[in-house]
Amino acid sequence: MEYNNVAGRIYDIQGYAVHDGPGIRTTVFTKGCPLRCLWCHSPESQRHEFEMGYLPVKCIGADVCQNACLDACPEGAISRDEAVEALDGSGLIQKIKIDRSKCKNCLKCAGVCITKALYSSGWDTTVDQVFDRLIKDRGFFKNGGGVTISGGEPMAQFEFTYNLAKRLKDSGIHICLDTTGFAAARLYEKILPYIDLFLYDIKHMDTDMHRKLTGVGNEQILQNARFLAEQGGALQIRVPVIPKLTDKQTNLRQTAEFCLSLGEAVKLVQLLPYHKTGRMKYDRLGWRYKLVNVEPPEDEFMDEALELFQGYGLNCQLH
Ligand code: SF4
Ligand code: SF4
């Protein structure tokens, strides 16, 4: 069919995912997102453009590679760092360092790095290629599992996401769409018949605060949630609980009230406690992590937040 060759840009496909919707799933991560959440766990998902990443642990040393990446860089952005002891104690390794202020993301260094210590985050693909990869996991899609299309924001690459969802639906696979809700309502209307469950973030109920935390206001996001609920969509609402940023009682109460107002469309509310696991990804891209002083919420606090949501009669759980 026509839709098989629609192009898209992704940065990962992960099998055996158990946190991206019901059952066991395979998740496709599209690259590019219109939001810039301060706590984003996947900085590589934010920009649509390819970016050079560096994983020092994979670097075998400029001596061994005969300066391959240093010579490949037209900007002089790569130089020798201090030598460090190899993990297996076999001697010193001449690691490299990158001056990100000079780097133009041309990816020439990634092209010559044999160990993929230097790599390009993201690659271009087609609906056909992704479908062929996903279908191999079909035997693992247990307990209501299937495929989740995530990001980044999958709706930012609408033709790819729409056609992939359609192709999967034609094959009888359960599909979740993990979305920020920040896209045109007509696009949600178009994709709705092919999505079994929307994983839908409500990050903050106050639009000014939402803009401070994510770069965009929340009006369109709340409107789209209501629109999907009215049109028969099924929603799993996800609420990030970030200490001092989203965890005020007022915000949690208003979020719970909003979820309640969506009626039976809301199948589950998940509270997502802040964690720091994405932090090292910022180092790989040479980015500054902005929430260095924020600690994960206490278990006791999360239990109280859970009780608050359940007190509204919502089917709520901790993620
Ligand atoms: S980054 Fe890659 S090419 Fe450069 S020294 Fe390390 S292993 Fe060699
Ligand atoms: S991606 Fe950056 S560091 Fe790598 S070759 Fe290009 S300019 Fe140099």
Side-chain angles (χ1 to χ4, degrees):
M1 287 190 209
E2 284 294 314
Y3 51 63
N4 297 354
N5 287 323
V6 174
R9 182 167 292 180
I10 65 176
Y11 71 92
D12 204 1
I13 296 178
Q14 285 180 6
Y16 222 80
V18 292
H19 295 297
D20 296 332
I24 299 171
R25 319 187 64 83
T26 296
T27 303
V28 183
F29 295 89
T30 59
K31 189 157 165 59
C33 181
L35 273 66
R36 292 291 178 267
C37 303
L38 294 178
W39 54 87
C40 179
H41 301 138
S42 307
E44 72 275 37
S45 75
Q46 293 185 359
R47 294 181 186 155
H48 183 68
E49 298 75 31
F50 296 130
E51 292 159 284
M52 184 270 284
Y54 175 50
L55 254 177
V57 73
K58 284 192 170 182
C59 176
I60 52 175
D63 288 335
V64 181
C65 301
Q66 299 179 331
N67 293 332
C69 57
L70 287 83
D71 291 344
C73 179
E75 308 297 331
I78 305 179
S79 58
R80 291 177 161 236
D81 202 354
E82 284 177 19
V84 297
E85 192 68 46
L87 289 176
D88 62 3
S90 58
L92 292 175
I93 296 182
Q94 185 62 61
K95 299 269 184 177
I96 59 146
K97 61 183 172 186
I98 300 157
D99 182 344
R100 292 278 180 175
S101 67
K102 291 184 180 171
C103 175
K104 300 275 197 306
N105 263 326
C106 71
L107 298 169
K108 287 184 177 155
C109 55
V112 299
C113 179
I114 50 170
T115 66
K116 303 291 172 209
L118 291 159
Y119 63 94
S120 163
S121 72
W123 68 92
D124 286 332
T125 185
T126 64
V127 167
D128 223 5
Q129 288 168 347
V130 174
F131 178 81
D132 288 347
R133 162 65 188 85
L134 295 171
I135 209 72
K136 288 184 185 152
D137 288 357
R138 191 171 200 157
F140 298 108
F141 298 159
K142 312 263 192 230
N143 305 328
V147 167
T148 298
I149 309 175
S150 182
E153 172 48 70
M155 296 291 278
Q157 296 186 55
F158 183 74
E159 286 306 316
F160 174 74
T161 299
Y162 172 72
N163 284 288
L164 179 60
K166 235 172 137 181
R167 178 103 197 257
L168 291 162
K169 179 55 76 186
D170 286 349
S171 301
I173 291 172
H174 184 277
I175 308 161
C176 288
L177 179 69
D178 183 3
T179 179
T180 61
F182 194 74
R186 65 182 166 76
L187 300 182
Y188 285 106
E189 186 175 22
K190 193 171 172 191
I191 206 168
L192 178 59
Y194 306 103
I195 303 299
D196 296 292
L197 184 65
F198 290 86
L199 308 182
Y200 203 101
D201 286 7
I202 302 290
K203 300 174 200 285
H204 207 289
M205 290 301 291
D206 179 88
T207 193
D208 292 334
M209 196 61 189
H210 196 282
R211 189 171 288 104
K212 270 186 202 156
L213 300 176
T214 72
V216 303
N218 67 7
E219 291 87 350
Q220 190 177 26
I221 294 166
L222 300 182
Q223 278 166 18
N224 282 334
R226 195 164 298 291
F227 174 76
L228 286 171
E230 287 167 0
Q231 296 298 312
L235 300 168
Q236 182 167 313
I237 303 283
R238 313 219 278 191
V239 181
V241 180
I242 319 294
K244 297 195 176 77
L245 301 181
T246 69
D247 68 342
K248 298 280 179 298
Q249 283 283 312
T250 321
N251 183 48
L252 295 178
R253 285 198 178 282
Q254 287 176 352
T255 307
E257 283 159 13
F258 179 73
C259 292
L260 196 62
S261 76
L262 299 179
E264 292 189 357
V266 176
K267 307 302 174 197
L268 179 66
V269 179
Q270 283 187 312
L271 304 183
L272 282 49
Y274 168 73
H275 59 79
K276 296 183 168 188
T277 50
R279 215 174 134 173
M280 77 278 277
K281 295 184 188 171
Y282 284 75
D283 294 338
R284 287 179 206 164
L285 294 172
W287 292 16
R288 189 170 67 85
Y289 185 70
K290 295 189 180 118
L291 300 188
V292 274
N293 296 321
V294 176
E295 294 299 323
E298 303 284 341
D299 290 348
E300 203 175 53
F301 181 88
M302 291 306 301
D303 289 341
E304 285 169 14
L306 178 65
E307 270 178 39
L308 184 153
F309 276 79
Q310 289 173 336
Y312 282 87
L314 292 161
N315 177 22
C316 184
Q317 62 177 219
L318 300 181
H319 192 258

